Amino acid sequence: MKLSLNLLTLQTWREDATRKRALERKRRARNAAEEEMMEISAQLKQRLLLLLHLTTMTTERKWKEHLTLEGIWRRDRRIQRVALVDPMSSPWTKLHESKNDQALVTVTGFDHASFESILFFFQPFFDNCTPWVGPQNGTRFKKIKKSENRGRRRLLDSRMCLGLVMAWCRFKGAEFILSGWFGFTGSHANVWLRFGRRMLLLALWKQPLATVSLPSDETINILKAKVQERHAALRDVHCVADGCKMTFETCDGLTKQSMCHNGWKSGHYISNPFAFSMDGRIIMLVVNAPGSVHDSTLADWGDVHDKLETIYQRTGGVCVADSAFSSVNAPYLLKSSGDIAAAKSPVEVRIIRQCASVRQAAEWGIKAVQSAFPRVKDTLQCEENGERKIHLMLMVLLYNMRLELVGLNQIRNVFVPGWSRAILSKESFASSTL
């Protein structure tokens, strides 16, 4: 009995000891965790204090504050009012009043007659709207009320603002060059540029000579016949298509960068597939699309394939495209990248070769846009206020307008020279030489 009691006491003692050891381990583990958390919290606090210190130092001590007065003066790239001529005595005013067509075409892309035609549509929008509303940077405007007192009179007129916008399209590089041409300081030049682009876009949006629209069935049949005169194997070609990639500056964030990064070109681009009719006009387009998307996909998103199919069902007209549209097999598309070795007849060989020749017209069209408005070859800015789309759509409308009023288009000169203003017909040439 005494032995069993001793064993029971020993077992109880062992259980108590085991429980105490377990509690001790838990206490030590809890203390260790608390010490670790305190250490992490202290490190985090130190990092936050360091970051706050660096932020405060950066805010208080900007790079400009480390410069001397001479350093600040030399880095100030503004052109002050005292260094500019009066806008009414500027080089632009001298050029416009000279009535020299060659000079005006060089600066704006349009001669005096076509410039006045565009000014006729532009002036009502310019006179009846004002950019001095909201942020007052030209991105917003409102209609002027006759009963409203608008303060001082404008220093520029509609003719000068239109010339500023067109000259901006023709120039590349920094915009301060326009300050010397027109006599504006940089801030005012930017305001009137943004405002003028919006007014010109509204003025040309519904003009038949500028708008992007499908040609009539009669025009398509005439273009098909003109193409067949030069390329007998191509009976139904009425347009060509290709994509125009414009360089785009890199932006913050992996998502935005990946949208515009093109692995084939190894850079950031904005894609703009264009369809040119054989008289040189842009009749279908998709603008301001991410450069990572394939041209064929963009044409599908922009309903270009649906429009081509409608034309094919109505007139039988087809479009010549390059290998970018190879993923789409449709009767309204002819590919210039066909394999001659896989041709089954001499007729197919001729079609493939002549398709490659006709598709060159798309390259002429892209080059015509770039040469008429060199601004599109500059790197496009990364912004989300719609300025880029306004810029690109305005270039397209001005291109179509320039084609009809000025000419100077290789597609039209080659395929329909009788419609070109730059080439005399055989009868006119014969009469002029007599």
Side-chain angles (χ1 to χ4, degrees), residues 119-179:
L119 181 64
F120 177 78
F121 302 110
F122 175 79
Q123 187 171 0
F125 290 93
F126 177 84
D127 292 339
N128 296 323
C129 297
T130 176
W132 307 118
V133 62
Q136 298 188 359
N137 58 3
T139 57
R140 293 176 59 186
F141 59 90
K142 73 172 185 177
K143 193 172 182 180
I144 299 175
K145 297 180 180 179
K146 294 183 179 179
S147 60
E148 195 175 7
N149 185 10
R150 299 303 303 174
R152 291 183 300 175
R153 189 178 180 180
R154 291 175 177 175
L155 293 179
L156 78 166
D157 55 6
S158 57
R159 184 175 285 102
M160 191 175 297
C161 184
L162 180 60
L164 177 67
V165 175
M166 289 186 172
W168 176 83
C169 296
R170 295 281 289 180
F171 289 3
K172 289 179 60 179
E175 296 179 358
F176 70 85
I177 299 177
L178 298 175
S179 297

Side-chain angles (χ1 to χ4, degrees), residues 375-386:
R375 178 66 64 175
V376 300
K377 293 190 286 186
D378 269 356
T379 301
L380 299 175
Q381 293 184 354
C382 177
E383 51 84 25
E384 297 178 356
N385 298 322

Side-chain angles (χ1 to χ4, degrees), residues 268-430:
H268 293 78
Y269 293 90
I270 293 294
S271 295
N272 306 274
F274 292 145
F276 297 89
S277 63
M278 301 314 294
D279 64 343
R281 286 184 65 87
I282 297 178
I283 58 175
M284 288 171 279
L285 78 164
V286 180
V287 298
N288 199 26
S292 61
V293 185
H294 200 272
D295 286 347
S296 181
T297 304
L298 292 177
D300 191 17
W301 291 354
D303 296 331
V304 174
H305 289 301
D306 295 338
K307 295 176 182 178
L308 290 174
E309 186 176 8
T310 301
I311 293 176
Y312 176 76
Q313 294 173 353
R314 203 170 63 225
T315 64
V318 298
C319 174
V320 176
D322 59 1
S323 58
F325 295 85
S326 60
S327 60
V328 179
N329 294 319
Y332 52 81
L333 283 180
L334 287 179
K335 313 294 176 56
S336 63
S337 58
D339 186 6
I340 296 180
K344 299 180 180 179
S345 64
V347 176
E348 291 187 7
V349 174
R350 292 178 61 193
I351 291 176
I352 293 174
R353 288 180 175 175
Q354 292 183 9
C355 278
S357 177
V358 169
R359 203 208 67 81
Q360 185 63 30
E363 303 293 342
W364 296 344
I366 299 297
K367 182 62 178 177
V369 176
Q370 295 176 341
S371 59
F373 309 106
R375 178 66 64 175
V376 300
K377 293 190 286 186
D378 269 356
T379 301
L380 299 175
Q381 293 184 354
C382 177
E383 51 84 25
E384 297 178 356
N385 298 322
E387 200 70 31
R388 186 170 62 251
K389 186 175 182 180
I390 293 174
H391 164 204
L392 296 177
M393 282 303 304
L394 183 59
M395 295 291 184
V396 173
L397 297 180
L398 286 175
Y399 167 84
N400 281 344
M401 199 79 174
R402 186 173 188 265
L403 172 69
E404 302 296 342
L405 298 180
V406 181
L408 304 178
N409 188 275
Q410 190 170 358
I411 301 178
R412 178 166 290 192
N413 294 344
V414 170
F415 289 96
V416 282
W419 297 3
S420 177
R421 293 171 55 90
I423 295 181
L424 293 173
S425 62
K426 293 181 180 179
E427 294 79 5
S428 300
F429 180 78

Side-chain angles (χ1 to χ4, degrees), residues 28-247:
R28 292 178 179 177
R30 185 170 59 252
N31 292 339
E34 291 178 356
E35 292 178 358
E36 185 178 359
M37 289 298 296
M38 291 177 63
E39 184 178 357
I40 294 176
S41 178
Q43 293 178 358
L44 181 60
K45 186 181 295 184
Q46 290 179 356
R47 292 177 182 177
L48 290 175
L49 290 175
L50 178 60
L51 181 61
L52 180 61
H53 176 70
L54 293 176
T55 305
T56 306
M57 291 295 294
T58 304
T59 304
E60 292 179 354
R61 302 289 295 176
K62 295 182 179 179
W63 166 250
K64 190 175 181 179
E65 297 180 0
H66 293 277
L67 299 175
T68 62
L69 291 178
E70 183 179 358
I72 296 174
W73 170 69
R74 291 186 180 278
R75 287 170 173 80
D76 191 354
R77 298 184 179 181
R78 293 176 297 175
I79 300 180
Q80 302 291 341
R81 174 77 263 174
V82 68
L84 298 172
V85 298
D86 185 82
M88 303 310 297
S89 304
S90 62
W92 159 256
T93 303
K94 172 66 176 178
L95 183 147
H96 183 268
E97 292 179 352
S98 69
K99 302 301 181 182
N100 184 275
D101 282 337
Q102 290 88 344
L104 196 64
V105 169
T106 302
V107 175
T108 66
F110 294 84
D111 55 19
H112 280 273
S114 57
F115 184 86
E116 294 297 327
S117 299
I118 298 176
L119 181 64
F120 177 78
F121 302 110
F122 175 79
Q123 187 171 0
F125 290 93
F126 177 84
D127 292 339
N128 296 323
C129 297
T130 176
W132 307 118
V133 62
Q136 298 188 359
N137 58 3
T139 57
R140 293 176 59 186
F141 59 90
K142 73 172 185 177
K143 193 172 182 180
I144 299 175
K145 297 180 180 179
K146 294 183 179 179
S147 60
E148 195 175 7
N149 185 10
R150 299 303 303 174
R152 291 183 300 175
R153 189 178 180 180
R154 291 175 177 175
L155 293 179
L156 78 166
D157 55 6
S158 57
R159 184 175 285 102
M160 191 175 297
C161 184
L162 180 60
L164 177 67
V165 175
M166 289 186 172
W168 176 83
C169 296
R170 295 281 289 180
F171 289 3
K172 289 179 60 179
E175 296 179 358
F176 70 85
I177 299 177
L178 298 175
S179 297
W181 266 89
F182 291 85
F184 299 148
T185 57
S187 57
H188 280 79
N190 288 331
V191 171
W192 292 113
L193 263 177
R194 297 190 186 100
F195 176 70
R197 285 197 292 260
R198 284 158 172 78
M199 296 300 100
L200 185 56
L201 185 64
L202 291 175
L204 299 180
W205 187 256
K206 295 184 179 179
Q207 296 304 320
L209 295 180
T211 185
V212 178
S213 59
L214 298 178
S216 63
D217 294 351
E218 181 182 0
T219 303
I220 291 176
N221 292 328
I222 294 175
L223 295 177
K224 287 162 55 178
K226 292 295 183 180
V227 174
Q228 191 176 7
E229 289 179 3
R230 294 181 57 87
H231 305 279
L234 304 179
R235 300 180 179 180
D236 299 317
V237 174
H238 73 95
C239 69
V240 291
D242 197 8
C244 177
K245 285 184 169 39
M246 302 177 184
T247 55

